[in-house]
Amino acid sequence: MTTIEVESFLETFQTLVMASLTPEGEPHASTAPYVRIDNDFYILISTVAQHGRNLLVNPNVSLLFVEDESQCVQPFARKRVTIEAIVSEIMREDELFTRAIERFKAHFDSELVTSLTQMGDFHLFKLSPKSGSVVMGFGKAYRLDHNLEVITQIMGQHQKGHGNG
């Protein structure tokens, strides 16, 4: 497994699945369109939505990019990348806000993105990877560093049964 293969897999997605925590500490799963700049993921979401409110309160999220079920050969070994990330809000006056929004306009409906950025409840969040993992099949699991580079293979002990003989 190479870092280039991880990047190629990530490039096949327009949306990410995100697990965040509610203000009460309850897990919440959602999805959002994203763009990347360098190793960071950017999402433009409303704070009317639960996930938007969550990010304002707790900066820890987990991201999931998973192979389409219709394309996978073995559901138990479905290809996926999981990334633990830290969230920060990018303010509208920040140069990075303009850069990220331009990237959104290039990848999605430009008029819609323009409209969303004019709504006061839409915020731009940067999701910066801390670590992660990639699974590309049975025995093909690897740890990723904060740059999403493959650093080591994950090895496990496989045992028959569950201690019943």
Side-chain angles (χ1 to χ4, degrees), residues 9 64-66 76-82 133-136:
F9 182 72
L64 176 65
F65 302 86
V66 62
F76 284 97
R78 199 165 160 196
K79 294 176 183 175
R80 60 198 176 271
V81 171
T82 304
S133 62
V134 57
V135 175
M136 288 294 156

Side-chain angles (χ1 to χ4, degrees), residues 14 44 101 103-116:
Q14 293 187 73
L44 180 65
I101 295 304
R103 178 97 25 122
F104 269 103
K105 288 178 181 179
H107 285 85
F108 300 102
D109 181 330
S110 180
E111 288 181 27
L112 176 61
V113 172
T114 297
S115 177
L116 296 177

Side-chain angles (χ1 to χ4, degrees), residues 32-70:
Y34 78 94
V35 295
R36 281 184 72 191
I37 298 175
D38 301 321
N39 283 324
D40 297 318
F41 299 82
Y42 293 82
I43 59 175
L44 180 65
I45 59 174
S46 171
T47 53
V48 171
Q50 182 66 56
H51 59 192
R53 294 191 309 275
N54 294 350
L55 300 188
L56 292 173
V57 175
N58 189 321
N60 296 299
V61 295
S62 183
L63 310 177
L64 176 65
F65 302 86
V66 62
E67 177 183 30
D68 187 313
E69 282 185 335
S70 67

